[in-house]
């Protein structure tokens, strides 16, 4: 059976409070597996305004109605209002996800800080951010996290090294076509990567005439002809809220296409992780998203 792993990035306080419970209810009703990856520190979403000077960011804002999806209050956090600490305030919500039978893991400590700062950060900066997230996760769940998925698909050499040092079993930090072991600057990283293989809804809406009403059908057309296992990333703030009907349409379509909807761990369990191909790490632009992302490069050695 074909497998499609659902990776749910939870970026904000609002998404944790409102989007996560809605997704848990829907996925439980559909008996679908998924991995919820949490932002565990302060929600400083308002500071993302600095991205206005990044190529492609304003086009994305105009296409995806950021204010509608995130809400005015969220866009004030970290600027006009103090950013609420998600892990501290929402610990019971996070544990309820695990108790409902879903895989839980780490997205980041501070989503905006990571996404805007990691590309040029040194090892000390990265280690502080990643260790804070691991420590908060362990406080909440009573055990260390086993899966990591970087905010904004942003990584660097130090962060990749730390995925293995911090004991992660698998990561889904970038974009690509199939599972692999990453090689950066000639160094092999032992933590397997299960990259996002499909475009996200917010990357598609507003492009080539695709609307919120047609985006699910467009994505289903892609998966109808896709070969191999797939990884789809969704967001609690989008598919868990205003785009929930579109996500439900996707679940219907994927199950009709014969996909088994699974967590990242379930997908990894079907693989021989020690025999995964080695691929170079690249940092490149992705259509519909601003900035350069961690992308699966060519096989190593080529």
């Amino acid at each position: 059976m074909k497998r499609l792993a659902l990776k749910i990035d939870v970026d904000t306080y609002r998404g944790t409070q409102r989007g996560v419970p809605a997704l848990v209810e829907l996925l439980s009703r559909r008996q679908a597996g998924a991995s919820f990856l949490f932002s565990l520190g302060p929600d400083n979403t308002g500071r993302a305004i600095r991205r206005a000077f990044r190529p492609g960011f304003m086009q994305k804002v105009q296409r995806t109605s950021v204010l509608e999806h995130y809400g005015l209050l969220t866009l004030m956090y970290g600027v006009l209002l103090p950013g609420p600490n998600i892990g501290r305030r929402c610990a019971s919500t996070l544990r309820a996800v695990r108790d409902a039978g879903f895989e839980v893991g780490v997205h980041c400590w501070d989503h905006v800080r990571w996404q805007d700062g990691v590309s040029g950060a040194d090892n000390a900066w990265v280690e502080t951010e990643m260790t804070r997230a691991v420590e908060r996760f362990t406080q909440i769940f009573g055990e260390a996290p086993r899966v990591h998925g970087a905010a904004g698909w942003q990584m660097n050499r130090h962060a990749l090294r730390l995925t293995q040092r911090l004991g992660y079993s698998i990561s889904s930090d970038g974009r690509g076509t199939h599972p692999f072991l990453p090689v950066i600057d000639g160094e092999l990283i032992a933590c397997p990567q299960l990259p996002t293989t499909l475009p996200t809804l917010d990357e598609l809406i507003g492009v080539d005439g695709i609307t919120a009403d047609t985006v699910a059908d467009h994505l289903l057309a892609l998966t109808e002809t896709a070969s191999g296992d797939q990884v789809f990333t969704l967001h609690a703030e989008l598919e868990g809220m205003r785009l929930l009907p579109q996500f439900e349409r996707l679940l219907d379509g994927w199950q009709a296409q014969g996909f088994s909807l699974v967590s990242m761990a379930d997908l990894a369990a079907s693989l021989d992780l020690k025999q995964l191909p080695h691929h170079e790490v690249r940092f490149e632009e992705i259509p519909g998203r601003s900035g350069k992302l961690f992308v699966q490069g060519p096989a190593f050695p080529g």
Side-chain angles (χ1 to χ4, degrees):
M1 177 180 285
K2 299 183 295 183
R3 290 173 294 269
L4 192 153
L6 297 172
K7 180 173 79 75
I8 302 171
D9 291 348
V10 186
D11 299 348
T12 67
Y13 179 58
R14 184 176 189 240
T16 307
Q17 285 187 310
R18 297 176 55 183
V20 166
L23 287 169
V24 166
E25 190 280 330
L26 172 60
L27 292 166
S28 297
R29 182 159 37 89
R30 297 305 179 91
Q31 297 183 318
S35 300
F36 286 76
L37 306 184
F38 298 112
S39 301
L40 295 159
D43 178 357
N44 288 316
T45 301
R47 297 180 184 176
I49 190 62
R50 291 172 295 191
R51 295 180 202 153
F53 301 101
R54 182 182 296 173
F57 178 72
M58 291 310 297
Q59 290 93 327
K60 180 177 181 293
V61 169
Q62 293 167 358
R63 287 190 296 103
T64 55
S65 302
V66 169
L67 181 59
E68 291 183 10
H69 288 307
Y70 288 88
L72 180 60
L73 191 63
T74 296
L75 298 179
M76 296 170 68
Y77 288 150
V79 181
L80 298 177
L81 294 173
N85 190 294
I86 299 169
R88 186 179 300 130
R89 292 195 183 188
C90 302
S92 60
T93 300
L94 272 56
R95 285 191 290 266
V97 176
R98 177 202 58 190
D99 295 345
F102 295 99
E103 180 178 37
V104 291
V106 167
H107 193 36
C108 60
W109 174 251
D110 179 328
H111 192 279
V112 172
R113 180 173 167 82
W114 182 271
Q115 191 167 347
D116 290 350
V118 70
S119 63
D122 60 16
N123 183 71
W125 187 97
V126 173
E127 188 163 3
T128 296
E129 293 294 304
M130 293 183 72
T131 301
R132 281 176 174 170
V134 168
E135 290 175 348
R136 178 56 55 82
F137 183 98
T138 304
Q139 291 170 359
I140 293 170
F141 294 103
E143 59 183 5
R146 306 299 293 172
V147 59
H148 182 267
W153 299 279
Q154 299 286 331
M155 292 287 278
N156 68 11
R157 175 167 52 90
H158 308 296
L160 283 164
R161 283 175 169 173
L162 278 165
T163 57
Q164 56 186 7
R165 275 181 46 199
L166 291 172
Y168 286 105
S169 299
I170 53 173
S171 288
S172 184
D173 297 318
R175 309 294 286 262
T177 57
H178 57 273
F180 67 102
L181 290 176
V183 179
I184 186 165
D185 298 332
E187 177 183 353
L188 177 67
I189 305 298
C191 184
Q193 289 284 338
L194 278 61
T196 296
T197 63
L198 297 168
T200 64
L201 297 193
D202 60 321
E203 291 166 0
L204 294 171
I205 293 173
V207 176
D208 295 332
I210 300 171
T211 67
D213 292 331
T214 62
V215 66
D217 289 335
H218 178 85
L219 189 52
L220 288 170
L222 296 180
T223 55
E224 180 69 43
T225 58
S227 60
D229 296 331
Q230 304 295 324
V231 176
F232 176 67
T233 294
L234 59 144
H235 294 83
E237 295 75 15
L238 304 178
E239 287 86 349
M241 299 175 69
R242 291 183 66 89
L243 297 182
L244 189 65
Q246 287 83 349
F247 180 55
E248 189 165 13
R249 168 78 181 95
L250 286 173
L251 295 180
D252 289 339
W254 284 329
Q255 290 177 328
Q257 289 176 358
F259 281 102
S260 177
L261 303 177
V262 300
S263 67
M264 302 298 296
D266 290 336
L267 181 59
S270 68
L271 305 170
D272 185 348
L273 298 179
K274 294 182 179 179
Q275 298 301 317
L276 291 180
H278 301 172
H279 283 259
E280 294 179 14
V281 168
R282 297 283 177 87
F283 295 94
E284 300 175 353
E285 294 183 358
I286 294 291
R289 199 158 291 277
S290 64
K292 292 186 177 181
L293 282 55
F294 165 27
V295 174
Q296 180 178 3
F300 181 89

